[in-house]
């Protein structure tokens, strides 16, 4: 019996044959195909899978909708794919309390349908795809242009149920907005790309759906003009849900979503409108092999954008003026990485690579230079997962 057959046999004995299948390219991560795919039907199945893997020296990567599997460093090993798609129930929904608890495999589309009937929204970025899962969005820490008004998963995730590497079931936070004092482990798990535990359930804050919404598109000659216009509107308290800007020939197009009361949206539209109307095409950008993210203070963003535009002439550049975030997408890999890293350092920002060919990851940490807290990060990883069972190598500092 070879190693793959041994893994399949052991997992099938522990979980039942219907829960275990042979690994397939559909569950590959950075070109690595797992030996087995496990699809547990409940939390106990997740715990059994991790306990078995931990005891037998196997490594596990949790996956949901697989929309963000490209995020993270190259795995050092990948034996078992933990498919959480069957954990897709709404556990508890309290519209009056503005909270909802769901299983990690629930898709955003299903979540949005559930809350819409009660006139509520969950603050995941509106541009996130419907087939992304709640657990995946939290584990990857995904946010978008609406983060300045809605917040990020770290802000609206109030409770998590997490299965540890050895199969123990734990809770962090709670199901109400106000919880007891203490260290907020939810913030630690958010963005940890499955290296510290497997999220199986999440409690989230909801927001009332805005009664009115309107889009506004305009063009400006320079990044400084565009950034200044948007930041001034935020400071004035206008009803901005999200604001993004994109490089176009000769300048920048700005796309704003206004949301709030009808009177507030109308006033915001009048105060933000300009004489130059840009195209309203804000469809998903074409797929590029390289995607980089540079985050700086919002006051530094315009200068960064002008330099990026001058040095990366063929790149697609998007920015979120209120957050100081810039996303660069391009086919030119090595030159673009070197340039963006240098400019991020010059502008005292951070640099990450959310997407790139997996070959690039062999000699590069996609989370940027080793942080000053690298030793602490490794210590936390050792405390939570001493045997390196969960997503080994994928996190910051290749934990």
């Amino acid at each position: 019996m070879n190693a793959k057959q041994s893994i399949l046999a052991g997992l099938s004995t522990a979980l039942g044959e219907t829960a275990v299948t042979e690994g397939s390219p559909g569950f590959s991560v950075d070109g690595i195909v797992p030996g087995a795919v496990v699809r547990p039907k409940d939390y106990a199945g997740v715990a059994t899978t991790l306990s078995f893997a931990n005891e037998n020296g196997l490594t596990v990567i949790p996956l949901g909708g697989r929309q963000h599997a490209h995020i993270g460093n190259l795995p050092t090993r990948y034996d078992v794919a933990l498919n959480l798609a069957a954990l897709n129930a709404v556990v508890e929904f309290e519209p009056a309390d503005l909270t909802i608890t769901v299983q990690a495999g629930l898709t955003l589309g299903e979540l949005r349908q559930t809350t819409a009937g009660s006139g509520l929204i969950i603050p995941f970025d509106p541009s996130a795809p419907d087939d992304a899962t709640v657990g995946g969005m939290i584990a990857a820490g995904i946010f978008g242009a609406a983060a300045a008004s809605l917040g990020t998963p770290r802000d609206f995730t109030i409770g998590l149920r997490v299965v540890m590497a050895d199969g123990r079931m734990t809770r962090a936070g709670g199901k109400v907005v106000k919880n007891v004092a203490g260290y907020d482990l939810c913030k630690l798990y958010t963005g940890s790309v499955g290296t510290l535990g497997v999220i199986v359930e999440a409690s989230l804050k909801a927001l009332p759906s805005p009664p009115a919404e309107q889009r506004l598109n305009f063009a400006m000659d320079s990044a400084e003009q565009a950034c200044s216009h948007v930041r001034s509107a935020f400071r004035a308290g206008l009803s901005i849900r999200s604001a993004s800007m994109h490089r176009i020939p000769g300048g920048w197009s700005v796309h704003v979503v206004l949301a709030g009361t009808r009177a507030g949206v109308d006033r915001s539209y009048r105060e933000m409108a300009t004489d130059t109307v840009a195209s309203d095409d804000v469809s998903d950008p074409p797929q590029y092999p390289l995607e980089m993210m540079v985050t700086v203070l919002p006051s530094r963003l315009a200068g960064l954008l002008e330099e990026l535009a001058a040095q990366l002439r063929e790149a697609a550049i998007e920015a979120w003026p209120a957050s100081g975030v810039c996303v660069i997408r391009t086919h030119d890999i090595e030159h673009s990485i070197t340039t963006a890293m240098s400019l991020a350092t010059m502008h005292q920002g951070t640099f990450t690579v959310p997407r790139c060919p997996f070959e690039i990851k062999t000699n590069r940490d996609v989370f940027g230079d080793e942080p000053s807290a690298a030793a602490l990060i490794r210590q936390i990883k050792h405390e939570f997962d001493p045997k390196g069972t969960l997503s080994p190598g994928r996190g910051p500092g290749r934990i």
Side-chain angles (χ1 to χ4, degrees):
M1 182 181 293
N2 61 33
K4 181 184 291 187
Q5 291 171 331
S6 178
I7 293 173
L8 289 168
L11 288 169
S12 296
T13 300
L15 293 156
E17 292 185 1
T18 58
V20 183
T21 58
E22 187 172 347
S24 64
F27 287 89
S28 66
V29 174
D30 291 331
I32 304 174
V33 178
V37 177
V38 178
R39 183 185 168 103
K41 63 181 180 180
D42 52 28
Y43 302 159
V46 175
T48 299
T49 301
L50 294 180
S51 177
F52 177 88
N54 195 63
E55 291 174 3
N56 291 275
L58 303 176
T59 60
V60 179
I61 294 181
L63 298 169
R66 286 167 278 168
Q67 294 295 308
H68 305 105
H70 57 277
I71 294 176
N73 284 308
L74 194 69
T76 54
R77 271 182 61 197
Y78 181 22
D79 299 314
V80 179
L82 183 57
N83 180 7
L84 301 174
L87 303 182
N88 59 0
V90 175
V91 177
E92 188 176 336
F93 183 26
E94 296 292 345
D97 293 336
L98 300 179
T99 60
I100 186 169
T101 299
V102 301
Q103 293 183 332
L106 188 77
T107 66
L108 294 194
E110 294 165 334
L111 177 64
R112 288 161 175 161
Q113 289 179 1
T114 300
T115 58
S118 298
L120 299 175
I121 61 171
I122 301 299
F124 286 113
D125 192 74
S127 65
D130 279 347
D131 48 359
T133 60
V134 171
M137 293 287 290
I138 295 172
I142 299 298
F143 63 93
S149 60
L150 297 180
T152 71
R154 277 192 171 90
D155 301 311
F156 55 79
T157 300
I158 58 176
L160 293 173
R161 189 193 291 258
V162 178
V163 183
M164 307 304 290
D166 59 4
R168 287 176 297 148
M169 191 78 63
T170 65
R171 283 186 180 275
K175 295 183 179 181
V176 295
V177 173
K178 185 175 182 179
N179 285 306
V180 295
Y183 187 79
D184 188 354
L185 284 173
C186 294
K187 289 181 170 55
L188 181 65
Y189 290 123
T190 302
S192 63
V193 291
T195 59
L196 302 179
V198 176
I199 298 169
V200 294
E201 183 180 295
S203 297
L204 309 167
K205 290 189 289 188
L207 297 173
S209 298
E213 187 173 304
Q214 189 165 351
R215 296 181 182 273
L216 174 63
N217 308 292
F218 53 89
M220 289 196 160
D221 294 334
S222 71
E224 179 59 44
Q225 286 179 309
C227 289
S228 177
H229 191 59
V230 172
R231 290 202 307 272
S232 295
F234 266 98
R235 287 195 296 269
L238 301 187
S239 302
I240 302 175
R241 167 60 51 80
S242 66
S244 62
M245 49 190 287
H246 305 255
R247 178 168 64 168
I248 58 175
W252 297 83
S253 66
V254 183
H255 306 275
V256 179
V257 177
L258 304 171
T261 63
R262 183 73 265 170
V265 168
D266 289 345
R267 169 181 170 253
S268 300
Y269 188 92
R270 289 194 302 270
E271 294 198 18
M272 286 202 74
T274 68
D275 294 333
T276 306
V277 179
S279 167
D280 62 357
D281 181 13
V282 291
S283 57
D284 293 336
Q287 192 74 273
Y288 289 91
L290 177 65
E291 178 180 305
M292 302 173 289
M293 179 178 286
V294 178
T295 303
V296 297
L297 289 173
S299 59
R300 292 179 174 269
L301 181 62
L304 170 70
L305 292 176
E306 295 292 5
E307 292 181 71
L308 282 170
Q311 297 188 43
L312 301 179
R313 296 185 180 278
E314 303 301 321
I317 301 177
E318 176 186 357
W320 309 329
S323 305
V325 174
C326 173
V327 180
I328 308 107
R329 301 177 177 94
T330 181
H331 293 279
D332 181 7
I333 295 174
E334 287 297 343
H335 169 66
S336 297
I337 290 177
T338 302
T339 301
M341 285 184 66
S342 175
L343 290 174
T345 301
M346 184 185 305
H347 289 271
Q348 301 177 4
T350 61
F351 171 83
T352 59
V353 185
R355 183 189 297 276
C356 67
F358 61 81
E359 295 88 351
I360 301 297
K361 299 182 180 184
T362 57
N363 55 10
R364 185 182 302 280
D365 187 333
V366 300
F367 292 99
D369 294 334
E370 185 167 277
S372 58
L376 178 60
I377 292 172
R378 293 190 180 97
Q379 183 180 347
I380 291 172
K381 170 66 173 177
H382 179 73
E383 292 292 331
F384 280 66
D385 181 17
K387 293 186 178 181
T389 300
L390 289 169
S391 304
R394 299 199 74 211
R398 301 184 185 277
I399 62 170

